[in-house]
Every structure is written in C-alpha cells, then in structure tokens.
C-alpha cells in the first residue's frame, strides 16, 4: 500500500496510467434483476451479490489492483421498500464478520465510505470494528461505499471545512480532497458499472473527474474474472490525457 503522500489527485500531463489500474471502483448493479430472472425475491439477489464480493476482490487483487471500491448502498437507496432496506442491512450485518476475517487473512484493509450515523448502532460498531482490525494491512485496500452519496460527501466536507475555520485562500483541490471520505486514497482509474445502466448514480462525483468508465450488461452477481479481464483490457486501450495532448510518437520527436 503506498503512503498517503505517494497518492496524487492531480496527475500531470506526463502521467501515464500503468497497464493495470491502481484503483478500480465498481457500481454493483443488477442484483434485483438477477433474482427476478430466477423468480426469486430481490433479497436473494442481494445475498448472491454480497457473496460475489469475494470473487471480484480476489480476482482484482491477483491482477495487481491495489485499491478496490464497491458501491453497496447509496444515500438514495433508502427510497426502496422498507423490507428491502431491512434485508440489505441484515445481509451486511451477517456478512461483515466472516468477510472481514477472510480479508484480514489476505492482508486487505477495509475502509467504509459514507455516513455511518443513520445505521443501526450494532451495524455501526461492526463496521468500525472491521476497520480497526484491518487498519494496518498493506496488501490492498477495499473501500465499501455504504450509505454513500457523492453529494452528501461533498456537503459534509464543506461543513467540516467551515467548522475548522479554513481560510478561503487556503482551500485548494488537495486540501478539499482530505475532507472527503476517500482521504488518502488515489482517485479511481477505472469505474465499472454492471447491470447495463450508463450513469454514476451519485457515486464518487469529485473523484471520478478523470476516471475511465466501463459498463457491461452483465449483472453484478454474475461478474466473474473473465468479465473483469474484458474491463481491464478495455482500460488498457484507453488514452488518458487529463486535458493535455498525447505525446507524439518517438519517431516524430527528432
Ligand atoms: C444493486 O442492485 C444493489 C443495490 C443498489 C443495493 P439493484 O438492487 O439495484 O438491482 P436492480 O438494478 O434492481 O436489478
Ligand atoms: C446504484 O444502483 C447504487 C448501488 C449500486 C449501490 P441503483 O440501482 O440504486 O441506481 P439507479 O437507481 O438505477 O440509478
Ligand atoms: Mg439497480
């Protein structure tokens, strides 16, 4: 795991993305449709979806990705029927301990992104405990965005910046980034959305400024290593310019 200082939120024009993205973020969409295809209740899709986290995190870390961010529950998902929200909460409550144990054995650090306050006290404690247990792990980082919203993240940053009395002239992009839930984490190089929709749905609004975007109709519970390789191969074909121009081929330089 690189130190916070080695992360750059502002890659210069000479920055070249490595062949493997350092940070992959996934909008895990399609659990409900996966269940509907099998005439199962939606919560069965969520259960299958949570089980797929192991496979995807394992495959990405094997391929050299050092940060994985998974969008699990948005600030807008509270608008769903209360029984579905309750099912999502209880699946997380059940899964967090066993999955944290496995992540810890693999040397992976778990970080929560989002607002813990509206969650049930027991769930808040379980999430805090999972972060504490894995805090010093360095093999990779898994960010779980749960009760996360990009607008909420920006607003809570502004509130804390004002509360800290930060002088306006001192506020720049680097300082602002330190008030986000992703403090210390590089921006995502690649954002994958499963389930076919082509939108961010309030995910990483600030951090996604120069992310490459890949979407697939594959539903989240079906996303496997072969599908991930398609996304990683697509990423390798992208030319990331960050607003600058491509470097001319070496033969043109003389
Ligand atoms: C994504 O799957 C999981 C969450 C948003 C919690 P969905 O539940 O949105 O599945 P679809 O989009 O209805 O198929
Ligand atoms: C996005 O999926 C949120 C998560 C995957 C957690 P949604 O299913 O909530 O997104 P919309 O409503 O189709 O935009
Ligand atoms: Mg959906």
């Amino acid at each position: 795991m690189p130190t916070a200082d080695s992360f750059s939120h502002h890659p210069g024009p000479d920055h070249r993305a490595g062949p493997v993205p350092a940070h992959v973020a996934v909008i895990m969409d399609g659990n409900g449709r996966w269940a509907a295809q099998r005439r199962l209740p939606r919560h069965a899709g969520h259960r299958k979806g949570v089980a797929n986290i192991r496979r995807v995190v394992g495959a990405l870390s094997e391929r050299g990705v050092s940060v994985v961010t998974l969008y699990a529950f948005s600030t807008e998902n509270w608008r769903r029927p209360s029984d579905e929200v309750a099912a999502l909460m209880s699946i997380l409550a059940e899964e967090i301990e066993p999955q944290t144990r496995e992540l810890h054995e693999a040397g992976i650090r778990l970080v929560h992104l989002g607002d813990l306050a509206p969650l049930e006290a027991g769930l808040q404690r379980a999430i805090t405990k999972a972060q504490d247990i894995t805090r010093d792990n360095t093999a990779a980082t898994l960010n779980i965005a749960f009760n996360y919203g990009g607008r909420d993240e920006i607003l809570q940053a502004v509130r804390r910046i004002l509360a800290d009395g930060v002088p306006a002239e001192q506020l720049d992009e680097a300082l602002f980034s330190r008030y986000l839930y992703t403090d210390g984490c590089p921006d995502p190089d690649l954002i994958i959305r499963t389930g076919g929709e082509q939108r961010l749905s309030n995910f990483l609004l600030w951090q996604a400024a120069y992310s490459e975007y890949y979407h697939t109709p594959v539903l989240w519970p079906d996303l496997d290593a072969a599908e991930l390789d398609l996304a990683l191969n697509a990423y390798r074909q992208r030319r990331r310019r960050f607003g600058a121009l491509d470097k001319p081929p070496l033969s043109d330089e003389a």
Side-chain angles (χ1 to χ4, degrees), residues 28-33 42 77 80 193 197 199:
M28 307 187 288
D29 199 15
N31 294 347
R33 281 163 285 168
R42 290 180 60 84
N77 286 146
R80 296 190 177 197
R193 183 166 187 148
E197 308 292 359
R199 54 177 170 257

Side-chain angles (χ1 to χ4, degrees), residues 160-172 175-176 179:
R160 289 194 295 127
I161 288 165
L162 291 174
D164 284 355
V166 175
E169 62 280 6
Q170 275 181 29
L171 187 61
D172 59 13
L175 182 58
F176 191 82
Y179 282 87

